[in-house]
Amino acid sequence: MKTRSSDILEGPGWANVRALYKADGYSQEELEKPIIAVVNAYSSICPGHVIFRQLSERVREGIQAGGGTPVELGMIGACDGIAMGHKGMKYILPTRQMIADSIEAMAEAHRLDGLVLLGSCDKIIPGMLMGAMRVNLPTILVNGGPSLPGRMKKDNPYGGEFIDHSIIQESEGALQKGMISKEKFQWIEDHAMPTMGSCAMLGTANTMGCLAEAMGIMLPGTAVIPAVYSERLAAGYRSGKQIVELVRRNIKIRDIITKNAIYNGIRVNGAIGGSTNAVLHLIAIAYEGEIELSISDFGKICEGIPHLVPLIPSGNRTLLEFYEAGGVPVLMKELESILWVQEKNCQGKILREVLEKVQNFYPEVIHSIENPVHTRGGIKILYGNLAPEGAVSKPSAIPDKALVFRGKAKIYEGEEEALKGIRRGDVQEGTVIVIRNEGPKGGPGMPEMYKAMKLLVGMHLGDKVCLITDGRFSGSNNGCFVGHISPEAAQNGPIAYLEDGDEIFVDISRGLIEAADVDFEERRKKKKPFVREVKGCLYQYAQNVKSASQGAMIPNRREYDREEENR
């Protein structure tokens, strides 16, 4: 079999390369097989990635059993939860680009034949898929799986018996208001996340794992296997064997993640009530695969998709129960009539074949289209004079009474200022909290407003105020919120010119966000823009990043240069 790596491993002219591999301990026999990279984002920082030291061994064993030669390379993988609510969150979205760039550099520099991507958490999975789409090699993703949930039957704010990591921030709001004791708060901290794994709710980490499986780049049924289950290791071994088969058959990632596969991912995201961050990530993944996908397209594709799985924060079920109910394949079976079922997966099968024998034995966890959790889905794209290029919300996580909201604006120039104000008790019922200058350029890095929204929910204000921002939200947020407002403040967007007391109207169902009585053009003449000092890698990111409505990605193709030439 002729491989990419054989171009630099065969013949006298490449003896120097063989010598370097042999210095690593590889034999001549191994160098005659496909060279498969295990791209490992292991660290002992991120709980979703701790499993990868062990899991990578099983993947390597699978590659060897399949007739390939594994090589392993490290990849950064920051934890959103640890970076939350301070300067560190500004670096999280930029790491997505760093990961994609690193994969491109390593795959091309070493003429690798295939990739097994080991990533679990929020920006790591999309960054890896972006890099793989760019180099277009045979690829399989193996995530580390969710943690097991904590258990709390009494006074559970989610209404069930399980809790997850996101309850901690809500509980801080409850503690602030005197609704729970310090002892109860400490108990929640110690029991909310009892094992390693990505956080047990449907945050961005588990959303992107589910969407990767839905798009066919993971083995069916593997996205939500708990991190601590033995089946997780078996999935790593099977993925290792399968990547060699993909190399033999020359099935590349762009043969799998096609436009229709991404459309399937968008519809699955709507049905599971997935993270709003999926909008950014799927647009960016599509861009790297040279697939046309706009924020408007995203809204049209998921329009009318009902919410079928009541996972925290849009219900009281956990990823453990979703796994036990059959996970992504069972959900896709319920959606089969509105999916593109001819799409190929990393097994070389088409989706229709995968779904043939799938049955739903837990309809109380994975609902049918005829009996949805909500008729409204997981994502809504909003427009109006506050967001002429679009904004993003999550209807499935918004209480019924807050789907239409009208209130007076309270302006904060950034997340830290907002957190101080919320903790001081500045926010009253009926307020529209505006957190601006937190977009891709303005933050820079488009940090999440997770803490602010969770504090408000914990204070029982989640459906009594609305939070709007040019920043992002976590997949675990609930309450009334709108993010990704575009253009952002740093790009002279209307949100930059809002003032305290302006009346703002948000209608999630109709997709509207307006400040109807504001003359933004007149205000632009009178107000200077807010500017933050930026240094280091964030400076380069802020200089080059595109709008949130374009996936907050950094362009890397010639056609974007023409935009400047035509001005």
Side-chain angles (χ1 to χ4, degrees):
M1 176 177 58
K2 181 67 174 173
T3 61
R4 269 175 36 117
S5 61
S6 65
D7 291 344
I8 60 168
L9 285 171
E10 291 181 353
W14 298 108
N16 61 318
V17 176
R18 293 194 298 274
L20 291 170
Y21 270 111
K22 288 173 181 177
D24 291 332
Y26 291 98
S27 68
Q28 180 62 38
E29 179 188 358
E30 289 174 296
L31 299 182
E32 293 169 0
K33 298 175 181 179
I35 307 296
I36 310 295
V38 180
V39 184
N40 191 351
Y42 164 80
S43 80
S44 60
I45 298 173
C46 182
H49 287 204
V50 173
I51 185 64
F52 287 142
R53 176 174 282 175
Q54 186 179 10
L55 188 56
S56 67
E57 294 178 8
R58 295 296 286 144
V59 172
R60 291 199 306 270
E61 289 166 358
I63 292 169
Q64 289 168 330
T69 295
V71 296
E72 189 163 347
L73 58 96
M75 196 60 52
I76 62 170
C79 177
D80 284 49
I82 294 173
M84 199 74 68
H86 57 87
K87 180 182 177 182
M89 179 46 72
K90 297 179 186 296
Y91 288 84
I92 292 296
L93 186 58
T95 66
R96 187 185 71 173
Q97 199 71 32
M98 298 174 197
I99 291 166
D101 291 347
S102 297
I103 287 174
E104 177 191 0
M106 291 297 285
E108 298 293 17
H110 302 103
R111 300 294 293 166
L112 300 171
D113 296 315
L115 306 171
V116 179
L117 309 174
L118 299 188
S120 272
C121 291
D122 298 35
K123 311 308 169 289
I124 296 92
I125 288 178
M128 286 180 162
L129 293 179
M130 287 165 64
M133 289 287 274
R134 199 182 295 175
V135 297
N136 194 26
L137 294 177
T139 302
I140 288 180
L141 174 73
V142 183
N143 68 340
S147 70
L148 295 181
R151 193 181 291 267
M152 186 174 87
K153 292 186 177 181
K154 186 178 180 182
D155 301 324
N156 188 323
Y158 298 136
E161 62 177 291
F162 294 115
I163 56 175
D164 65 81
H165 177 262
S166 71
I167 197 177
I168 298 170
Q169 206 64 63
E170 282 190 34
S171 299
E172 185 197 339
L175 181 67
Q176 185 99 359
K177 286 283 190 179
M179 297 173 183
I180 63 171
S181 66
K182 291 181 179 178
E183 292 75 19
K184 181 67 170 181
F185 183 75
Q186 183 65 53
W187 185 92
I188 290 170
E189 176 185 331
D190 293 341
H191 292 85
M193 193 166 176
T195 73
M196 69 174 73
S198 48
C199 301
M201 75 292 192
L202 193 65
T204 306
N206 291 315
T207 293
M208 292 311 299
C210 289
L211 301 193
E213 183 182 326
M215 292 188 292
I217 208 64
M218 297 176 68
L219 294 182
T222 60
V224 292
I225 302 168
V228 294
Y229 278 22
S230 57
E231 189 184 352
R232 171 59 56 193
L233 298 177
Y237 176 82
R238 290 189 289 115
S239 298
K241 283 194 72 174
Q242 185 60 27
I243 189 62
V244 185
E245 182 63 19
L246 291 184
V247 172
R248 287 199 178 101
R249 296 171 62 183
N250 196 31
I251 298 175
K252 300 175 183 179
I253 187 171
R254 292 194 195 180
D255 298 321
I256 297 168
I257 301 185
T258 62
K259 176 177 266 192
N260 285 346
I262 291 175
Y263 287 2
N264 283 343
I266 291 171
R267 291 194 163 175
V268 166
N269 188 67
I272 59 177
S275 172
T276 51
N277 287 316
V279 180
L280 293 176
H281 298 327
L282 291 181
I283 291 174
I285 290 165
Y287 170 81
E288 296 292 0
E290 302 184 50
I291 295 168
E292 294 286 333
L293 181 68
S294 69
I295 190 172
S296 175
D297 294 333
F298 199 111
K300 291 173 184 174
I301 295 159
C302 66
E303 191 68 41
I305 304 299
H307 179 212
L308 302 185
V309 192
L311 295 168
I312 296 171
S314 302
N316 58 19
R317 300 291 186 170
T318 66
L319 267 293
L320 175 62
E321 292 168 288
F322 186 45
Y323 159 75
E324 291 170 345
V328 174
V330 171
L331 174 69
M332 295 184 82
K333 181 68 174 179
E334 295 294 348
L335 294 172
E336 186 173 9
S337 62
I338 54 172
L339 296 179
W340 286 263
V341 293
Q342 292 300 320
E343 294 307 297
K344 186 186 298 182
N345 73 1
C346 63
Q347 292 177 312
K349 296 181 178 180
I350 63 170
L351 179 58
R352 179 179 286 118
E353 293 178 88
V354 173
L355 300 182
E356 276 178 357
K357 297 181 180 179
V358 171
Q359 290 185 311
N360 186 354
F361 295 108
Y362 294 90
E364 68 275 19
V365 176
I366 302 174
H367 290 226
S368 66
I369 285 184
E370 295 75 27
N371 181 36
V373 181
H374 300 112
T375 54
R376 58 184 186 271
I379 294 291
K380 185 74 175 182
I381 308 300
L382 285 70
Y383 294 93
N385 72 339
L386 262 180
E389 292 180 6
V392 180
S393 190
K394 186 175 179 177
S396 62
I398 298 176
D400 291 349
K401 64 185 290 187
L403 288 168
V404 178
F405 198 98
R406 188 185 299 272
K408 302 289 186 181
K410 174 65 177 172
I411 311 295
Y412 294 103
E413 306 292 356
E415 180 191 22
E416 291 183 22
E417 185 180 305
L419 289 172
K420 289 176 184 176
I422 293 168
R423 285 168 172 149
R424 277 196 309 264
D426 291 354
V427 176
Q428 309 300 319
E429 291 185 20
T431 302
V432 176
I433 302 161
V434 180
I435 305 179
R436 65 190 179 197
N437 293 295
E438 294 289 20
K441 288 185 179 290
M446 204 181 181
E448 290 181 350
M449 303 302 109
Y450 165 86
K451 274 203 169 190
M453 198 66 235
K454 282 295 182 183
L455 283 171
L456 292 166
V457 170
M459 294 173 173
H460 292 186
L461 291 172
D463 60 353
K464 299 177 180 65
V465 301
C466 183
L467 197 162
I468 70 171
T469 179
D470 53 8
R472 300 182 293 117
F473 289 95
S474 166
S476 63
N477 277 125
N478 56 334
C480 184
F481 61 91
V482 180
H484 305 211
I485 290 177
S486 299
E488 61 175 291
Q491 289 189 302
N492 206 32
I495 191 173
Y497 302 98
L498 285 174
E499 297 174 357
D500 284 340
D502 286 341
E503 187 169 82
I504 296 173
F505 175 69
V506 176
D507 187 331
I508 302 296
S509 300
R510 292 168 60 203
L512 292 174
I513 180 166
E514 296 271 350
D517 298 325
V518 177
D519 186 339
F520 288 111
E521 290 305 317
E522 190 62 30
R523 288 189 184 179
R524 280 191 177 98
K525 298 174 185 176
K526 300 176 182 178
K527 183 181 176 182
K528 292 182 179 179
F530 177 93
V531 180
R532 282 197 177 94
E533 181 184 4
V534 184
K535 295 186 264 185
C537 64
L538 291 182
Y539 173 78
Q540 296 298 332
Y541 185 82
Q543 290 295 302
N544 294 293
V545 71
K546 304 295 281 187
S547 165
S549 64
Q550 295 174 278
M553 52 77 188
I554 293 178
N556 55 40
R557 295 204 298 275
R558 179 68 64 182
E559 58 260 40
Y560 277 89
D561 294 343
R562 295 194 196 112
E563 291 182 7
E564 298 299 325
E565 293 168 8
N566 292 333
R567 285 175 186 165

